Amino acid sequence: MQRVEAAGMAEGWSREQLAEELSRPGSRVWVAEDGGRILGHAIAWVVADELHILDVCVLPGSRRQGLGRALVQRLLAEEHPALLEVRANNLPAVALYEGMGFVRVGLRKRYYDDGEDALLMTRELP
Protein backbone atom coordinates (compact mmCIF):
# COMPACT_ATOMS: atom_id res chain seq x y z
CA MET A 1 0.00 0.00 0.00
CA GLN A 2 2.85 2.37 0.75
CA ARG A 3 4.11 1.94 -2.83
CA VAL A 4 0.70 3.05 -4.11
CA GLU A 5 0.79 6.09 -1.82
CA ALA A 6 4.29 7.07 -2.91
CA ALA A 7 3.46 6.74 -6.60
CA GLY A 8 0.00 8.22 -6.40
CA MET A 9 0.29 11.25 -4.14
CA ALA A 10 2.85 13.94 -3.48
CA GLU A 11 2.14 13.76 0.26
CA GLY A 12 1.30 10.09 0.62
CA TRP A 13 0.87 8.25 3.88
CA SER A 14 3.90 6.63 5.48
CA ARG A 15 4.25 2.89 6.01
CA GLU A 16 3.68 3.47 9.74
CA GLN A 17 0.47 5.43 9.16
CA LEU A 18 -0.88 2.72 6.86
CA ALA A 19 0.01 -0.03 9.34
CA GLU A 20 -1.76 1.90 12.11
CA GLU A 21 -4.94 2.09 10.02
CA LEU A 22 -4.95 -1.67 9.56
CA SER A 23 -5.17 -2.14 13.32
CA ARG A 24 -7.46 0.79 14.26
CA PRO A 25 -10.89 -0.50 15.44
CA GLY A 26 -13.08 1.99 13.50
CA SER A 27 -10.95 1.95 10.38
CA ARG A 28 -12.08 0.51 7.06
CA VAL A 29 -9.35 -0.41 4.57
CA TRP A 30 -10.08 -1.84 1.12
CA VAL A 31 -7.50 -2.82 -1.48
CA ALA A 32 -7.76 -3.32 -5.25
CA GLU A 33 -5.28 -5.85 -6.53
CA ASP A 34 -4.43 -7.85 -9.59
CA GLY A 35 -2.45 -11.07 -9.18
CA GLY A 36 -1.28 -10.06 -5.73
CA ARG A 37 -0.09 -6.63 -6.91
CA ILE A 38 -1.82 -3.79 -5.07
CA LEU A 39 -3.17 -1.24 -7.55
CA GLY A 40 -5.08 1.01 -5.16
CA HIS A 41 -6.68 1.36 -1.76
CA ALA A 42 -9.30 3.30 0.17
CA ILE A 43 -9.25 4.12 3.88
CA ALA A 44 -12.12 5.46 5.97
CA TRP A 45 -13.28 5.75 9.56
CA VAL A 46 -16.78 5.21 10.84
CA VAL A 47 -17.31 7.76 13.60
CA ALA A 48 -20.69 8.50 15.22
CA ASP A 49 -22.54 6.73 12.38
CA GLU A 50 -20.74 8.78 9.72
CA LEU A 51 -18.20 7.55 7.19
CA HIS A 52 -15.17 9.83 6.90
CA ILE A 53 -13.23 8.90 3.78
CA LEU A 54 -9.59 9.64 4.53
CA ASP A 55 -7.69 8.35 1.52
CA VAL A 56 -8.39 6.96 -1.92
CA CYS A 57 -5.33 6.25 -4.01
CA VAL A 58 -4.78 4.35 -7.27
CA LEU A 59 -1.48 3.82 -9.06
CA PRO A 60 -1.14 6.28 -11.96
CA GLY A 61 -0.96 3.48 -14.55
CA SER A 62 -4.16 1.91 -13.22
CA ARG A 63 -6.32 5.04 -13.17
CA ARG A 64 -9.41 5.61 -15.33
CA GLN A 65 -10.30 1.91 -15.13
CA GLY A 66 -12.97 2.17 -12.43
CA LEU A 67 -10.80 1.12 -9.48
CA GLY A 68 -11.27 4.34 -7.52
CA ARG A 69 -15.03 4.20 -8.07
CA ALA A 70 -15.17 0.55 -7.00
CA LEU A 71 -13.18 1.28 -3.84
CA VAL A 72 -15.41 4.21 -2.88
CA GLN A 73 -18.54 2.17 -3.66
CA ARG A 74 -17.30 -0.53 -1.31
CA LEU A 75 -16.86 2.02 1.46
CA LEU A 76 -20.31 3.48 0.79
CA ALA A 77 -21.89 -0.01 0.95
CA GLU A 78 -21.89 0.36 4.74
CA GLU A 79 -24.77 2.81 4.30
CA HIS A 80 -23.59 5.74 6.38
CA PRO A 81 -23.71 9.41 5.46
CA ALA A 82 -20.20 10.21 4.20
CA LEU A 83 -17.78 13.11 4.09
CA LEU A 84 -14.35 13.70 2.62
CA GLU A 85 -11.83 16.37 1.76
CA VAL A 86 -10.29 16.48 -1.71
CA ARG A 87 -7.71 18.78 -3.25
CA ALA A 88 -9.57 21.61 -4.94
CA ASN A 89 -7.46 21.20 -8.09
CA ASN A 90 -7.91 17.41 -8.33
CA LEU A 91 -10.62 17.71 -10.94
CA PRO A 92 -10.80 13.99 -11.84
CA ALA A 93 -11.38 13.08 -8.17
CA VAL A 94 -13.93 15.88 -7.70
CA ALA A 95 -15.80 14.65 -10.80
CA LEU A 96 -15.71 11.07 -9.50
CA TYR A 97 -17.15 12.07 -6.12
CA GLU A 98 -19.82 14.33 -7.64
CA GLY A 99 -20.80 11.48 -9.96
CA MET A 100 -21.28 9.31 -6.88
CA GLY A 101 -23.64 11.76 -5.22
CA PHE A 102 -21.24 13.87 -3.16
CA VAL A 103 -21.91 17.60 -3.02
CA ARG A 104 -19.55 20.45 -2.19
CA VAL A 105 -20.42 21.92 1.18
CA GLY A 106 -17.34 23.92 2.09
CA LEU A 107 -13.79 24.97 1.41
CA ARG A 108 -10.91 24.39 3.80
CA LYS A 109 -8.37 27.12 3.03
CA ARG A 110 -4.71 26.01 2.94
CA TYR A 111 -5.72 22.55 4.21
CA TYR A 112 -2.75 20.69 2.75
CA ASP A 113 0.90 21.09 3.74
CA ASP A 114 1.70 22.77 0.43
CA GLY A 115 -0.98 25.42 1.07
CA GLU A 116 -3.55 24.07 -1.36
CA ASP A 117 -7.24 24.31 -0.47
CA ALA A 118 -9.49 21.31 0.06
CA LEU A 119 -13.11 20.96 -0.92
CA LEU A 120 -15.30 19.50 1.80
CA MET A 121 -17.84 17.14 0.24
CA THR A 122 -20.67 15.16 1.77
CA ARG A 123 -23.06 12.46 0.64
CA GLU A 124 -26.31 11.69 2.39
CA LEU A 125 -27.90 8.27 2.25
CA PRO A 126 -29.90 7.68 -0.93
Side-chain angles (χ1 to χ4, degrees), residues 33-56:
E33 65 176 329
D34 182 25
R37 180 173 175 250
I38 296 176
L39 304 177
H41 62 262
I43 302 170
W45 292 345
V46 175
V47 179
D49 201 36
E50 184 173 70
L51 181 74
H52 188 165
I53 298 174
L54 303 171
D55 187 32
V56 177

Side-chain angles (χ1 to χ4, degrees), residues 3 15 18 22-23 28 32-33 43-44 48 55 58 63 66 69 71-72 75-76 80 82 93 96 100 115 118 124:
R3 180 180 60 83
R15 179 179 301 274
L18 292 166
L22 291 170
S23 63
R28 306 295 190 266
E33 65 176 329
I43 302 170
D55 187 32
V58 174
R63 292 183 183 157
R69 176 177 297 278
L71 288 164
V72 174
L75 291 172
L76 295 174
H80 295 287
L96 170 70
M100 298 182 78
E124 298 300 322

Side-chain angles (χ1 to χ4, degrees), residues 66-86:
L67 295 177
R69 176 177 297 278
L71 288 164
V72 174
Q73 284 174 329
R74 182 58 190 98
L75 291 172
L76 295 174
E78 292 199 36
E79 298 187 7
H80 295 287
L83 69 92
L84 58 84
E85 291 93 3
V86 61

